[in-house]
Amino acid sequence: MLSSRVKSEAILLEIKPFKVCIETSLPAVIDTIKALYSDYNYFIYDDSVFVDFYIKIEKGGFFRGYSQAQCYIDGKTPFKPLPLSQAYPFFEWGLNWIVASHIHYYLLLHAAVVEKNGHALILCGKPGAGKSTLCAAMVGNGWRLFSDEMAIIDLKTNELVPFVRPVSLKNRSIDLIQEFVPEAVFGPCFHDTAKGIIAHMKPNSASVFLANKKAFSKWIVFPQYQEHSQTLLQSFPKGKTVLELIKNSFNYNMLGGYGFSNLCQLVDRSDCYNFIYSNLDEAVVLFDQLLE
Amino acid sequence: MKNLPLLALVLREPKTVLNYTLSDWDLLIRQARRAGLLARLGFLFKRNSVEGIPSCALKHIESSMICAENMRTSLNWEIKCIKKALCRLDLPLIFLKGTAYIVGDNDAALGRFFSDVDILVPEEKLLDVERALIYAGWKFDDIDAYDQRYYRKWMHEIPPMRHVQRQTSIDVHHNILPKTCFFCPDVKKLLECAIKIPEQGSWILATEDRVIHSASHLFHEGELEHGFRDLSDLDLLIKEFSIKENFWDNLLFRAVELNQQIPLYYALRYTSIILKTPIPKHVLDRSVQWRPNGLRQKIMDFLFLHALMPDHPSCSDRWTGLARWLLYIRSHWLRMPVHLLIPHLLRKSWMRLTGKDNH
């Protein structure tokens, strides 16, 4: 039975708080995973292992065409296939999808999270608002990466749970961050995706090693990148913050009262800001000042 | 039966999990998720006071229970909206299938997921119901003229409707099987025996009829990906009702009266084989008179024992796909006579091949 569960080319990876089995025969996917997830815990399959998610990335079959990649979630294909060149991002998106659709013992927000001195900062905003860019820049300047794609909130304690994964950067922010964080390691560039060009910044080892360490939120920031703008941090009303976070939540509706009370607690313990920026240096300095 | 999925063994006896390894839990959770029974598993563990579930598995079970509870809340709201929309029509509004289990507060509602609400109304009221629903914000999904006509002329329901704001779907039935189906029951007999749940003002089919409808739905149905879930529904309904007086006699009697002997035979056979549902021997013996003859029985066993398994790679072998496909063809075969069936299937395949059909 063991052999039918996991094939030889399966990569078993602990991406805390989950254990993931990635099955693929595509060298591009294997190489990119090995490069971007090199600091993670790889485990061996035996009787004492519980895997949370099974993801398989393979070429599309005879009917779909061999030039396409398909993503299987435990054997099923909930998505339309993508060009083969996007096989690796397909894995990342597949993992996002599976967490957002199956995991309801956490409150999940579409946001990036970083931490310093035990205090977490949530960056929440629409796609393209510049949250990943800001997140990558802060991680390059001594903040610990929690997650780039989703803020995971423990419903029992209201703490943020790290879900450390490569930071997905788009279009111009790729060059910007390569320049701003010269030591950062990047995966390959993927062109012509639904989001334009994307590349993944490898999470630094310190963040990966501390992925067990939760933290309480201290700031909730809605960043907005505006060309040539001044750096501007304005406080934002707490009530509106709750409403904005609801809009950006994956499973708020599912959680009923738990969701509401956790969200209120989260906002209650945080300072909330609107943040307009164009200069990363100033932005990073400003958030370091918040710490003091 | 050998090689039963873990999920079947756990539904038979939830305490089996007590000596499970983590990798057993891993597989159980995957099978249950795919079968749509992960939340039900959680409720059954609770009811049977199963403790010591490893936290990694428990998290997935609890997630699914949260989902199911949320769905139940929305469904109750949906029921209210439907009742309000149809309150002026002076009809017994009968809820069917999953919704009926909620309305009747049956065990089969435990951790169940729903994709739509099914209601049964008298055929002569169909137009009124349709109008009232449209007035209250439901509309027909985009389907072409052929499908519209197909539904109206041959089917036991009108095309599915969807509420424009809530995006919830409703199937309005006037019978439980298509008019063209040889086994189509006299719907009057179903309506006559329907029962009213006083505190809610909703109606559901009589106890035995609910079992029979569940059986008739499953064993006439062509898409068996949820077959295992439906089998578990039957198992829970039977276990719950069998303590009632005269349940078994009434059940067998109603099956004859409603022309549903064969589906009931299959229901009793496969729940007892796969889920060890406690069915008295004399009942099984009496239902045997309805079984298909020798070779056919063997073939049906082969098909159903493959197709009814959870839709997960660990529960399938090389025959599963073929079995599901043959049962899909069978479902159409039962639905209408050959001279209607062939043109219909040809058209359907053509639409599928050319990608115009995404159902």
Side-chain angles (χ1 to χ4, degrees):
Chain A
M1 189 165 276
L2 210 77
S3 62
S4 74
R5 287 182 208 181
V6 175
K7 295 233 175 88
S8 53
E9 67 267 34
I11 303 170
L12 298 158
L13 191 55
E14 185 171 19
I15 307 175
K16 283 171 185 160
F18 308 111
K19 289 200 167 100
V20 185
C21 169
I22 308 143
E23 208 183 310
T24 183
S25 60
L26 302 175
V29 178
I30 298 175
D31 293 347
T32 312
I33 288 175
K34 295 226 159 123
L36 293 175
Y37 287 89
S38 63
D39 294 327
Y40 288 67
N41 214 351
Y42 289 77
F43 58 95
I44 300 163
Y45 198 87
D46 65 34
D47 263 8
S48 62
V49 168
F50 181 95
V51 177
D52 290 281
F53 310 123
Y54 287 80
I55 300 182
K56 188 167 95 173
I57 306 284
E58 288 297 349
K59 280 184 186 175
F62 179 74
F63 289 105
R64 285 293 191 186
Y66 290 105
S67 61
Q68 291 192 303
Q70 185 53 278
C71 174
Y72 300 82
I73 306 291
D74 197 13
K76 282 273 156 181
T77 53
F79 319 106
K80 295 213 163 112
L82 288 176
L84 200 54
S85 60
Q86 295 175 30
Y88 176 74
F90 210 174
F91 155 68
E92 291 285 343
W93 293 328
L95 184 55
N96 290 341
W97 178 87
I98 194 168
V99 172
S101 49
H102 288 342
I103 299 301
H104 306 300
Y105 51 88
Y106 294 130
L107 172 63
L108 305 175
L109 305 176
H110 186 206
V113 183
V114 291
E115 177 267 356
K116 206 171 204 177
N117 298 351
H119 303 300
L121 184 150
I122 299 175
L123 294 162
C124 181
K126 290 195 190 89
K131 68 181 156 55
S132 291
T133 318
L134 195 52
C135 165
M138 290 173 77
V139 172
N141 274 271
W143 290 69
R144 169 159 76 108
L145 176 66
F146 254 56
S147 53
D148 161 54
E149 185 60 29
M150 45 180 106
I152 297 187
I153 294 136
D154 188 320
L155 290 171
K156 296 200 173 89
T157 62
N158 203 240
E159 282 168 298
L160 286 154
V161 181
F163 184 32
V164 183
R165 309 234 320 262
V167 179
S168 149
L169 294 164
K170 283 151 232 127
N171 304 318
R172 283 191 339 196
S173 12
I174 302 170
D175 292 336
L176 204 65
I177 294 298
Q178 271 170 345
E179 198 177 305
F180 192 77
V181 192
E183 70 277 16
V185 176
F186 275 80
C189 273
F190 303 97
H191 295 267
D192 301 318
T193 75
K195 303 175 178 186
I197 307 169
I198 59 171
H200 297 86
M201 183 182 98
K202 182 183 169 182
N204 56 26
S205 347
S207 303
V208 177
F209 293 139
L210 290 173
N212 264 336
K213 212 175 152 208
K214 303 174 188 175
F216 286 105
S217 163
K218 191 164 162 63
W219 306 279
I220 298 169
V221 177
F222 299 99
Q224 181 64 59
Y225 175 84
Q226 268 174 26
E227 224 169 336
H228 312 305
S229 66
Q230 302 259 304
T231 306
L232 187 60
L233 187 73
Q234 293 167 308
S235 102
F236 194 69
K238 294 210 169 192
K240 277 191 179 170
T241 304
V242 173
L243 295 179
E244 278 302 312
L245 293 182
I246 289 174
K247 273 192 229 161
N248 285 286
S249 168
F250 291 108
N251 63 351
Y252 172 81
N253 286 337
M254 205 55 92
L255 299 174
Y258 295 115
F260 181 74
S261 59
N262 262 281
L263 212 49
C264 290
Q265 272 184 57
L266 184 82
V267 172
D268 220 19
R269 65 170 81 240
S270 311
D271 299 330
C272 308
Y273 299 105
N274 237 342
F275 180 58
I276 298 171
Y277 75 102
S278 62
N279 184 318
L280 280 177
D281 287 298
E282 284 181 26
V284 169
V285 169
L286 187 123
F287 285 112
D288 272 334
Q289 282 168 355
L290 277 185
L291 272 170
E292 285 149 18
Chain B
M1 256 194 95
K2 47 183 182 178
N3 289 334
L4 270 180
L6 293 182
L7 181 59
L9 300 173
V10 173
L11 289 183
R12 285 172 174 195
E13 177 45 82
K15 292 220 160 90
T16 323
V17 295
L18 290 177
N19 48 27
Y20 269 14
T21 61
L22 282 181
S23 70
D24 290 332
W25 277 105
D26 172 313
L27 190 60
L28 176 69
I29 298 290
R30 291 159 71 196
Q31 290 178 352
R33 189 195 302 286
R34 196 49 69 62
L37 291 176
L38 192 47
R40 176 166 296 172
L41 215 49
F43 287 105
L44 290 178
F45 287 151
K46 242 187 194 170
R47 180 186 272 196
N48 289 277
S49 330
V50 175
E51 278 163 23
I53 302 171
S55 67
C56 49
L58 190 62
K59 283 173 169 180
H60 287 276
I61 295 173
E62 282 178 348
S63 277
S64 198
M65 288 168 83
I66 288 174
C67 233
E69 282 299 291
N70 175 60
M71 224 170 211
R72 193 172 180 143
T73 312
S74 325
L75 194 81
N76 277 322
W77 175 248
E78 192 63 24
I79 291 171
K80 262 191 193 140
C81 296
I82 294 168
K83 279 199 295 206
K84 195 174 157 204
L86 302 180
C87 64
R88 286 160 188 246
L89 293 186
D90 182 36
L91 46 79
L93 175 56
I94 302 174
F95 290 96
L96 297 175
K97 299 186 215 169
T99 325
Y101 310 150
I102 294 256
V103 172
D105 199 20
N106 295 131
D107 287 350
L110 278 181
R112 198 170 185 288
F113 292 101
F114 309 87
S115 53
D116 50 20
V117 176
D118 300 279
I119 62 169
L120 176 69
V121 299
E123 192 169 3
E124 65 273 12
K125 294 272 191 182
L126 216 46
L127 200 62
D128 295 341
V129 169
E130 202 179 311
R131 278 194 192 132
L133 286 175
I134 289 173
Y135 189 74
W138 276 267
K139 74 189 258 291
F140 288 105
D141 285 344
D142 287 330
I143 61 170
D144 61 22
Y146 174 87
D147 282 343
Q148 270 282 357
R149 211 175 55 109
Y150 172 81
Y151 268 104
R152 307 243 169 211
K153 198 159 177 198
W154 309 118
M155 286 294 100
H156 50 303
E157 56 189 321
I158 60 174
M161 298 175 87
R162 190 176 295 279
H163 194 271
V164 285
Q165 280 163 332
R166 297 191 302 278
Q167 290 299 307
T168 46
S169 172
I170 184 170
D171 283 342
V172 182
H173 301 247
H174 54 80
N175 201 331
I176 59 169
L177 285 173
K179 298 180 224 178
T180 47
C181 174
F182 178 73
F183 302 99
C184 184
D186 179 359
V187 72
K188 278 202 197 91
K189 291 181 182 158
L190 283 169
L191 296 178
E192 273 164 15
C193 295
I195 47 179
K196 188 174 184 182
I197 307 292
E199 59 268 30
Q200 302 194 37
S202 316
W203 296 67
I204 51 179
L205 295 179
T207 313
E208 296 78 20
D209 294 1
R210 246 173 294 155
V211 178
I212 287 171
H213 182 212
S214 177
S216 135
H217 182 69
L218 175 56
F219 293 102
H220 278 110
E221 181 54 42
E223 321 241 329
L224 281 158
E225 279 72 22
H226 289 297
F228 192 80
R229 195 264 326 256
D230 293 351
L231 201 70
S232 162
D233 284 353
L234 272 165
D235 170 62
L236 291 177
L237 288 176
I238 291 173
K239 280 181 189 157
E240 181 185 349
F241 298 154
S242 60
I243 48 166
K244 289 192 177 177
E245 218 177 311
N246 296 331
F247 167 73
W248 293 110
D249 288 337
N250 292 344
L251 184 67
L252 297 171
F253 173 76
R254 277 304 265 184
V256 177
E257 211 172 40
L258 295 168
N259 208 11
Q260 302 300 311
Q261 299 94 323
I262 296 173
L264 183 66
Y265 165 72
Y266 285 139
L268 299 178
R269 178 169 177 78
Y270 297 120
T271 48
S272 60
I273 291 180
I274 299 173
L275 297 176
K276 279 237 160 36
T277 311
I279 296 163
K281 187 161 181 305
H282 72 272
V283 176
L284 282 175
D285 288 346
R286 276 168 69 190
S287 73
V288 163
Q289 55 174 314
W290 301 324
R291 81 166 172 205
N293 58 29
L295 181 63
R296 235 172 102 198
Q297 163 82 38
K298 287 214 171 83
I299 296 173
M300 293 318 280
D301 267 0
F302 179 82
L303 295 182
F304 276 124
L305 290 177
H306 275 93
L308 284 174
M309 290 300 144
D311 181 26
H312 186 266
S314 66
C315 312
S316 312
D317 62 19
R318 70 177 97 166
W319 301 108
T320 309
L322 180 69
R324 292 215 169 103
W325 184 73
L326 287 171
L327 287 169
Y328 175 77
I329 302 291
R330 169 184 177 268
S331 76
H332 279 80
W333 184 263
L334 293 174
R335 205 176 274 179
M336 51 178 71
V338 169
H339 68 277
L340 295 173
L341 177 64
I342 300 293
H344 176 64
L345 281 185
L346 281 176
R347 185 177 189 281
K348 246 184 131 123
S349 337
W350 173 248
M351 296 297 275
R352 229 169 241 196
L353 279 174
T354 51
K356 286 176 192 157
D357 178 67
N358 41 22
H359 293 299

